[in-house]
Amino acid sequence: MTAPIRMVAQDLYRLQKEVERLENLLKRAHPDQRAALEDELRKAVAERDRMHKVLEGSKDPATYRKPL
């Protein structure tokens, strides 16, 4: 069973804030820290995009077979 839309939306919001936080940290990061932050940002963006797709998919009406 899929998670309710509200929970997915909350996770998406949390992930968007995390991506913003990491982007801001990356702007000010020391060159020694950049690689680790870039990796963490890449993972957060991938998770955010995945959650966005889940939310968009849950909005689609259920497919069903129409009678002929």
Side-chain angles (χ1 to χ4, degrees):
M1 177 165 181
T2 60
I5 292 175
R6 183 177 180 157
M7 290 176 65
V8 173
Q10 288 173 339
D11 282 346
L12 179 58
Y13 179 78
R14 180 186 54 78
L15 289 165
Q16 286 173 336
K17 291 298 178 185
E18 179 68 9
V19 167
E20 290 172 10
R21 183 186 72 80
L22 289 169
E23 287 172 340
N24 288 334
L25 281 175
L26 193 57
K27 289 177 188 175
R28 301 184 310 264
H30 190 273
D32 296 342
Q33 299 171 330
R34 289 187 69 81
L37 283 172
E38 287 171 350
D39 187 49
E40 195 174 340
L41 177 61
R42 179 186 55 78
K43 291 176 184 176
V45 167
E47 183 65 17
R48 180 201 62 192
D49 292 347
R50 186 186 70 79
M51 196 59 67
H52 188 286
K53 289 178 184 176
V54 168
L55 182 62
E56 288 301 314
S58 66
K59 290 181 186 177
D60 291 341
T63 57
Y64 61 93
R65 187 172 181 183
K66 294 182 180 179
L68 296 176

